[in-house]
Amino acid sequence: MDDKEIARIEAIINSMTSHERDHHEVINGSRRKRIARGSGTSVQEVNHLLRQYSQMRKMFKQMGKPNFARRLAGMKLPGM
């Protein structure tokens, strides 16, 4: 990530209301348009950020499950 990308992500997040930041599932099409206009980005970039957030959230939930460590131990990581 470079400084430009971080600034863009920060602009998108700052264009959201506090309720939208806390509850990403309420962001519908018109809210996405408003966020994109407010941050100077496109709707696609807002969608991409929300998709990344959902994936990270899902991954962190998986990490909290007890059998995650066993699954991770069974994986062969490159270079190891």
Side-chain angles (χ1 to χ4, degrees):
M1 290 184 116
D2 60 344
D3 290 339
K4 244 182 176 177
E5 190 174 351
I6 292 172
R8 190 173 328 131
I9 290 170
E10 188 177 353
I12 291 171
I13 292 170
N14 287 336
S15 295
M16 295 178 187
T17 64
S18 60
H19 182 71
E20 290 169 341
R21 285 185 216 131
D22 294 339
H23 305 281
H24 69 94
E25 61 277 353
V26 300
I27 302 176
N28 59 17
S30 63
R31 288 179 186 240
R32 289 172 198 242
K33 270 191 215 177
R34 180 187 48 75
I35 293 167
R37 274 196 321 266
S39 62
T41 60
S42 67
V43 176
Q44 288 82 10
E45 289 175 298
V46 174
N47 288 339
H48 182 71
L49 179 66
L50 291 171
R51 201 172 313 114
Q52 279 183 323
Y53 175 74
S54 294
Q55 287 175 346
M56 290 296 289
R57 187 176 164 115
K58 186 176 174 182
M59 185 182 73
F60 281 115
K61 275 187 182 177
Q62 286 293 321
M63 290 169 95
K65 292 186 179 178
N67 62 356
F68 178 77
R70 277 186 291 195
R71 244 184 303 148
L72 188 62
M75 290 175 63
K76 292 189 178 180
L77 301 174
M80 294 185 110

